[in-house]
Amino acid sequence: MTTPDARGLIDRYLQLCEDRELDEAGRFLAERARLVFPGGREYSSLREMAAASTGTYRWVRKHRDRYLVGDADGRVTVTSLGRLYGEWLDGTPFEDIRYADVFVLDGGLIVEQHVYNDLALVAQQRDA
């Protein structure tokens, strides 16, 4: 898989997830893909992941600022770096919360997704 192909695949997957087109986004995942989110929370499906986020915010989107693409152990890795923006449950907007999403691709499918962000830290500071 070429760098532009890998970058484009991840960008499309992230957009579909943001748009909650989860069935279509799921087509980018390998059968037993690992979806690991902050706090080590692991999900077996995108629907499970989306349901778990309902108590945190009304909605969230990403300014995808840049991608880093590499090769590790014969698999393609793609890291998406950027900033989250959205709306807390009470309707207050938030923005510029940093994130990093790390993907491992094998055979053109996502086999691992690791999500890191400062959303919980910002929420904690907000509530203090």
Side-chain angles (χ1 to χ4, degrees):
M1 175 169 268
T2 67
T3 295
D5 291 342
R7 183 182 304 129
L9 183 148
I10 294 305
D11 193 63
R12 179 72 178 135
Y13 168 79
L14 289 172
Q15 188 63 52
L16 289 168
C17 288
E18 283 183 18
D19 295 341
R20 289 303 190 240
E21 298 289 337
L22 301 181
D23 291 336
E24 190 171 341
R27 294 186 186 116
F28 290 79
L29 299 174
E31 187 175 329
R32 290 188 180 89
R34 291 185 62 215
L35 308 174
V36 185
F37 280 69
R41 294 174 297 153
E42 200 161 331
Y43 302 106
S44 59
S45 73
L46 291 173
R47 293 217 177 272
E48 181 184 12
M49 176 274 303
S53 68
T54 58
T56 308
Y57 47 77
R58 285 186 181 178
W59 61 270
V60 66
R61 290 180 128 6
K62 295 178 176 180
H63 291 294
R64 296 184 289 276
D65 295 331
R66 68 184 193 156
Y67 290 97
L68 307 171
V69 182
D71 190 329
D73 301 323
R75 293 177 165 181
V76 176
T77 59
V78 179
T79 301
S80 173
L81 300 172
R83 299 161 289 121
L84 300 174
Y85 66 99
E87 196 172 276
W88 298 114
L89 291 175
D90 67 2
T92 304
F94 61 84
E95 62 181 319
D96 291 329
I97 299 175
R98 68 185 179 156
Y99 83 85
D101 291 345
V102 180
F103 297 89
V104 179
L105 304 172
D106 192 4
L109 293 174
I110 299 165
V111 295
E112 293 181 35
Q113 176 181 1
H114 298 269
V115 175
Y116 305 92
N117 64 57
D118 289 337
L119 197 59
L121 177 64
V122 172
Q124 187 178 46
Q125 291 171 345
R126 179 179 181 263
D127 294 338

